[in-house]
Amino acid sequence: MSTLEIAAPAHAQVLAAHDFHSGATPIWCPGCGDYGVLSALEHALAAHGRPPHEVVLVSGIGCSSRLPAYTSCYGFHGVHGRALPFAAGVKLARPDLEVIAVGGDGDGFSIGGNHFIHACRRNLDMLYLVMDNRVYGMTKGQPSPTTEPDWDSDIAPGGLGLRPFEPVALALAAGATFIARGFAGRSHELSDLILAGIKWPGFAFVQVLSPCMAFRSEQFGWKDSVRATSHAIEDDRAAAHAAAIADDGYSLGVLFRDHRASIPARPAAKASLTQIETQFMVCR
Amino acid sequence: MSAGELLLRAAADAGYYGMMSKLFGAQVRGGEAAALVQISTEPVSCQPDRFDLFVALDWDKVDQFASEIPLDENTIIIADPQSGPTPPSIAKSKARTIPVSMSPGHATPLECALQGKHTNVFAAGAVGALVGLPVSGLQAALVTVLGGKSVEATRTNAAALEAGIAAAAGLDLDMHLSPAHPAPRWLMTGNQAIAVGSLRGGVRFVGCYPITPATDLVEWLAPQIQKLGGRLVMAEDELSSINMVLGASYGGVPAMTVTSGPGLSLMVETIGLAIAAEVPAVIIDVMRGGPSTGIPSKTEQSDINIAVYGCHGDAPHVVLAPTSVRDCMFTGEWAVYLAESLQTPVIVLSDQALGLAYAVIDPKLDRPQPLARRTDLSVGPFKRYAVGTDPVTAMPRPGTPGGQWVGEGLTHNETGIPVGGASVHLAQIDKRARKIAQFDPGPHWGSVWGEGETAILTFGSSIGPAQEAARRLAAAGQPSRVIGLRVLMHSTAPAASW
């Protein structure tokens, strides 16, 4: 498979955020937090220095999953909930590429919840960026796994009554090695978190609080709730669990890092198929 | 199973053709089982409708297999008298039972449990000697089947084999085989043959999830693909495995998944995605009995409906079926070439009977013409889903400067941007339909055997029995032909010019 790898080693280039812009007009509503995430991602990729053709953005279904087409990178907009396995396939087959999966809270934590657990566990060198607005926006306002229990909606009048899902705690339980939280309204800080996640040599999970102005306009108030975390917890998963459970979900920054190695590189070929086929010979 | 393999391997090494099929109980992780072994001077492609010899290692739970093991009054049954009388389900065949003690008389039950009775190896030795297989061949086959067990285990098994051979001499039976025609041959299962075909076709990524009767295919493949520099990944479920396959394929590496009915059902949504986004993928479906969890240990050809029509919407793709154990290699390789060159999922419908059949085959190379993926960048602005004269459009590999494209499962325009509107929708449906419709399978569509006014149209593991039926019809003065399809689905009528 060596012929498939990028010919020259990737050297950091001088790139600007607009080099990562496709020019396609987002379908997002005015005021959507995802604009801030797109901008932060483009700035992070420019700072990282790998050109757009060496980056693959993978997504599932939902408002935020439309993001790949708004960049000038390679991309794939697949089916609902399956961005992570698709991204894993790209990375396993082509470790030379920069692989980033993006999506929303419904895509990643509900229909794709099982893949989220196993992606944390598998620890492939990729970034997973979840734009969490605690609502299904594309289908016009249903509660997601991160929605508050009393949030009133047409499909669940008076609220679902279910305890919301805590993505950071789950990522910790599943063995994630890099966990961060950002806010779409603080694009510069978010860009730094994304860059740190891209550079992390394993699975980097970045939860982004990304307000939905159409169905959760009260999330405009998030700007007053968010604050920087005091420090990143290194390697001590139990301490990180305790912190995650005590947290109100608005601490921003790198929350946890575990310096566990990613899976070993694919071994080089050491036999020919003809050699392998000799095992079937009988009556020689 | 080890005894069956030992016999088949010894017969193959002596120059015979043969085939072994496996009967399992309802549970798939061991327990009662029966090995159905045929040895012949000609290639074997189906199970027989009678057996000459039936060896009962014990009678435990034999009733559940009785209806699947055809015996008659000319069959010889060899059974250990310690196991008790021949059960009615077997005795009703009127076959003659010959008592042979297969376990050492002096061993206590505890010793038997600790050291193993090796009655299976004893029986293989007895049968091998009865049919006239050379002792050296039986010994060599035992070593292969044991596959590097401990010195002590090898010694006790070898002793059991010799005891079996010696016991055969004391039986007043002549079951010698006709002389063989030795030539270099291969001994492999249908599952292994498909795996070999896929590797020949260039598959270097496999995403999979264990499921009977497909598991042993990926278990054989896992170390082999690694030797070739590829990778096999066990995913968290079938939804993940098929999406991993699409990801690897998008990355430029020919990729495959392997499953059975319940797994195929889970994969159908993503197969539709592969069709819409035009991403090559090979899906091997080793069919078993359904619906639902059904009967994993038995064969059925009942996935054909979801393989052909499972996707929602107009979803042209390719469905193939191997025509024999040997053809699993050809069809497996061809599936990769078709997926790559047509940028579409190709489903290969094997089944339990083909996949687990262990067969002696002619190893003469029979390979399809290689076909590759279009990755060239044309001059001018690149449009991944361009609607032009050639419906197969280039799909540059990530890493290619200027070739950036976003694979899209939503209705999209020529550059891949999601758009609404009937005209764009129809244009892309037409593109994908033309891509498949213009594919000409040529002589590989299938095969015809025999001549006659009557034709038996069939596919997959049913071809072997159909050939045997045609042979008997011809012998009875009713010449018939068998039409075995390799291409089960490739064409939909292209939309008219919109």
XYZ file of all heavy atoms in Angstrom, chain A residues 172-218:
353
model
N -14.479 9.286 29.430
C -13.517 8.832 30.446
C -13.692 7.349 30.732
O -12.728 6.578 30.763
C -13.717 9.624 31.737
C -13.086 11.010 31.781
C -13.648 11.792 32.966
C -11.567 10.903 31.883
N -14.960 6.928 30.904
C -15.233 5.521 31.222
C -14.804 4.615 30.077
O -14.371 3.487 30.290
C -16.708 5.337 31.524
N -14.935 5.129 28.846
C -14.623 4.306 27.671
C -13.134 4.302 27.338
O -12.719 3.602 26.422
C -15.438 4.788 26.472
N -12.346 5.101 28.055
C -10.895 5.037 27.854
C -10.317 6.091 26.942
O -9.190 5.950 26.457
N -11.057 7.172 26.694
C -10.525 8.239 25.836
C -9.241 8.807 26.439
O -9.103 8.887 27.662
C -11.555 9.351 25.664
N -8.311 9.196 25.566
C -7.013 9.660 26.060
C -6.853 11.174 25.998
O -5.898 11.714 26.552
C -5.867 9.007 25.268
O -6.022 9.319 23.885
C -5.856 7.495 25.460
N -7.768 11.868 25.317
C -7.713 13.334 25.255
C -9.139 13.836 25.257
O -9.925 13.496 24.368
C -6.995 13.785 23.982
C -6.901 15.282 23.811
C -5.696 15.948 24.045
C -8.008 16.033 23.390
C -5.599 17.336 23.871
C -7.912 17.422 23.230
C -6.709 18.064 23.470
N -9.491 14.597 26.275
C -10.863 15.101 26.386
C -10.815 16.598 26.648
O -10.129 17.058 27.573
C -11.624 14.394 27.535
C -11.672 12.875 27.273
C -13.041 14.950 27.663
C -12.207 12.064 28.446
N -11.529 17.341 25.813
C -11.557 18.793 25.976
C -12.976 19.295 25.741
O -13.791 18.621 25.105
C -10.593 19.459 25.008
N -13.249 20.492 26.293
C -14.547 21.124 26.026
C -14.307 22.562 25.594
O -13.490 23.274 26.198
C -15.445 21.085 27.256
C -16.879 21.577 26.951
C -17.767 21.649 28.187
N -18.093 20.352 28.735
C -17.813 19.976 29.967
N -17.161 20.795 30.785
N -18.149 18.786 30.391
N -14.987 22.949 24.531
C -14.869 24.326 24.044
C -16.237 24.949 23.897
O -17.266 24.286 24.067
N -16.233 26.227 23.550
C -17.483 26.959 23.358
C -17.396 27.674 22.016
O -16.400 28.343 21.719
C -17.671 27.958 24.513
C -18.869 28.849 24.376
C -20.130 28.328 24.053
C -18.765 30.227 24.566
C -21.243 29.160 23.938
C -19.863 31.064 24.453
C -21.109 30.529 24.134
N -18.469 27.513 21.216
C -18.462 28.080 19.869
C -18.288 29.596 19.898
O -17.758 30.198 18.960
C -19.761 27.713 19.150
N -18.742 30.220 21.000
C -18.649 31.671 21.115
C -17.252 32.149 21.480
O -17.012 33.362 21.546
N -16.349 31.247 21.774
C -14.952 31.633 22.056
C -14.070 30.949 21.025
O -13.385 29.960 21.316
C -14.556 31.219 23.466
C -15.321 31.972 24.551
C -14.652 31.712 25.892
N -15.389 32.338 26.980
C -14.994 32.287 28.251
N -13.884 31.622 28.573
N -15.683 32.889 29.201
N -14.116 31.471 19.820
C -13.529 30.807 18.664
C -12.004 30.665 18.764
O -11.454 29.649 18.347
C -13.914 31.583 17.403
O -13.655 30.814 16.269
N -11.336 31.683 19.308
C -9.860 31.592 19.398
C -9.439 30.474 20.340
O -8.563 29.669 20.023
C -9.272 32.936 19.872
C -9.326 33.987 18.814
N -8.575 33.926 17.662
C -10.057 35.134 18.740
C -8.841 34.985 16.915
N -9.741 35.730 17.536
N -10.082 30.414 21.510
C -9.760 29.342 22.456
C -10.101 27.978 21.880
O -9.360 27.003 22.034
C -10.554 29.533 23.763
C -10.099 30.718 24.586
C -11.046 30.973 25.756
O -11.639 30.001 26.283
O -11.204 32.145 26.126
N -11.250 27.946 21.190
C -11.673 26.683 20.578
C -10.664 26.226 19.536
O -10.331 25.041 19.436
C -13.064 26.853 19.954
C -13.635 25.630 19.241
C -13.750 24.441 20.195
C -15.006 25.955 18.629
N -10.166 27.183 18.766
C -9.165 26.857 17.744
C -7.928 26.223 18.376
O -7.377 25.244 17.857
C -8.802 28.132 16.984
O -7.918 27.830 15.946
N -7.513 26.759 19.510
C -6.347 26.190 20.213
C -6.632 24.758 20.686
O -5.765 23.884 20.595
C -5.975 27.062 21.424
C -5.409 28.412 21.002
O -5.028 28.540 19.806
O -5.362 29.328 21.844
N -7.849 24.543 21.195
C -8.217 23.191 21.653
C -8.231 22.209 20.482
O -7.766 21.073 20.594
C -9.608 23.200 22.296
C -9.753 23.857 23.659
C -11.221 23.826 24.099
C -8.877 23.138 24.680
N -8.775 22.658 19.354
C -8.845 21.794 18.169
C -7.427 21.458 17.692
O -7.127 20.298 17.363
C -9.670 22.469 17.046
C -11.151 22.526 17.460
C -9.521 21.727 15.728
C -12.033 23.345 16.525
N -6.571 22.449 17.671
C -5.187 22.211 17.242
C -4.495 21.203 18.173
O -3.804 20.280 17.715
C -4.411 23.528 17.205
C -2.962 23.427 16.727
C -2.887 22.841 15.315
C -2.288 24.807 16.751
N -4.741 21.356 19.480
C -4.148 20.401 20.434
C -4.683 18.994 20.183
O -3.949 18.001 20.272
C -4.453 20.851 21.867
N -5.973 18.922 19.848
C -6.581 17.616 19.551
C -6.020 17.005 18.279
O -5.785 15.798 18.208
N -5.812 17.827 17.264
C -5.243 17.322 16.003
C -3.837 16.773 16.256
O -3.452 15.732 15.732
C -5.205 18.449 14.937
C -6.623 18.799 14.465
C -4.337 18.049 13.752
C -6.699 20.030 13.572
N -3.097 17.477 17.065
C -1.704 17.075 17.323
C -1.605 15.885 18.280
O -0.567 15.231 18.344
C -0.915 18.260 17.880
C -0.655 19.329 16.830
C 0.199 20.453 17.395
C 0.658 21.369 16.271
N 1.349 22.568 16.800
N -2.655 15.617 19.039
C -2.620 14.524 20.010
C -2.454 13.183 19.268
O -3.202 12.894 18.353
C -3.912 14.530 20.836
C -3.958 13.453 21.875
C -4.691 12.313 21.831
C -3.239 13.430 23.103
N -4.476 11.572 22.958
C -3.575 12.232 23.766
C -2.329 14.306 23.718
C -3.044 11.885 25.005
C -1.811 13.962 24.946
C -2.160 12.764 25.576
N -1.496 12.352 19.681
C -1.229 11.116 18.922
C -2.157 9.966 19.300
O -1.721 8.849 19.535
C 0.224 10.805 19.309
C 0.356 11.348 20.694
C -0.539 12.568 20.777
N -3.427 10.224 19.389
C -4.431 9.219 19.716
C -5.798 9.819 19.471
O -5.914 10.828 18.761
N -6.826 9.218 20.076
C -8.188 9.708 19.871
C -8.422 10.938 20.734
O -8.343 10.878 21.960
C -9.186 8.606 20.228
C -10.615 8.961 19.955
C -11.104 9.001 18.657
C -11.490 9.237 21.005
C -12.443 9.321 18.403
C -12.826 9.547 20.758
C -13.300 9.588 19.459
N -8.700 12.064 20.088
C -8.935 13.314 20.810
C -10.407 13.693 20.669
O -10.907 13.868 19.562
C -8.052 14.421 20.255
N -11.086 13.784 21.804
C -12.513 14.129 21.807
C -12.676 15.567 22.291
O -12.259 15.906 23.394
C -13.263 13.159 22.726
C -14.672 13.575 23.050
C -15.577 13.888 22.031
C -15.122 13.629 24.364
C -16.884 14.267 22.322
C -16.434 13.998 24.662
C -17.306 14.329 23.642
N -13.265 16.389 21.433
C -13.529 17.778 21.812
C -15.034 18.017 21.751
O -15.646 17.959 20.679
C -12.787 18.777 20.895
C -13.105 20.205 21.321
C -11.283 18.529 20.931
N -15.633 18.236 22.907
C -17.052 18.583 22.972
C -17.165 20.101 22.877
O -16.529 20.813 23.653
C -17.652 18.102 24.306
C -19.139 18.426 24.442
C -19.636 18.329 25.876
O -18.847 18.337 26.825
N -20.940 18.239 26.052
N -17.939 20.554 21.902
C -18.101 21.996 21.730
C -19.538 22.382 22.056
O -20.479 21.851 21.455
C -17.782 22.436 20.282
C -17.826 23.956 20.194
C -16.430 21.910 19.840
N -19.707 23.263 23.020
C -21.032 23.808 23.295
C -21.347 24.777 22.169
O -20.698 25.807 22.019
C -21.037 24.511 24.656
C -20.608 23.622 25.838
C -20.531 24.453 27.132
C -21.555 22.445 26.021
N -22.304 24.390 21.327
C -22.571 25.146 20.103
C -24.061 25.480 20.035
O -24.870 24.654 19.629
C -22.141 24.303 18.885
O -22.337 25.025 17.703
N -24.440 26.683 20.469
C -25.861 26.998 20.659
C -26.686 26.898 19.374
O -26.224 27.217 18.293
C -25.831 28.450 21.155
C -24.459 28.654 21.696
C -23.562 27.789 20.874
N -27.946 26.471 19.578
C -28.924 26.409 18.495
C -29.887 27.579 18.687
O -30.707 27.563 19.602
C -29.677 25.089 18.531
S -31.028 25.002 17.332
N -29.776 28.559 17.813
C -30.613 29.751 17.966
C -32.059 29.502 17.548
O -32.971 30.185 17.970
C -30.027 30.911 17.141
C -28.722 31.457 17.693
S -28.928 32.219 19.331
C -28.102 31.061 20.385
N -32.288 28.499 16.709
C -33.641 28.242 16.196
C -34.527 27.580 17.242
O -35.693 27.927 17.386
C -33.562 27.376 14.945
N -33.983 26.614 17.970
C -34.843 25.838 18.881
C -34.443 25.954 20.351
O -35.184 25.539 21.214
C -34.846 24.360 18.457
C -35.353 24.172 17.063
C -34.482 23.949 16.004
C -36.712 24.293 16.790
C -34.957 23.825 14.720
C -37.188 24.178 15.501
C -36.310 23.939 14.452
N -33.235 26.506 20.610
C -32.778 26.620 21.995
C -32.180 28.009 22.207
O -31.025 28.152 22.617
C -31.700 25.559 22.300
C -32.068 24.110 22.057
C -33.123 23.555 23.018
N -32.954 23.888 24.413
C -32.439 23.064 25.345
N -32.038 21.859 25.024
N -32.369 23.449 26.586
N -32.981 29.041 21.911
C -32.416 30.398 21.948
C -31.917 30.759 23.348
O -31.065 31.636 23.508
C -33.449 31.420 21.465
O -34.628 31.291 22.223
N -32.421 30.055 24.377
C -31.930 30.322 25.738
C -30.442 29.985 25.870
O -29.775 30.444 26.800
C -32.763 29.543 26.766
C -32.534 28.032 26.817
C -33.303 27.251 25.765
O -33.778 27.855 24.783
O -33.406 26.011 25.904
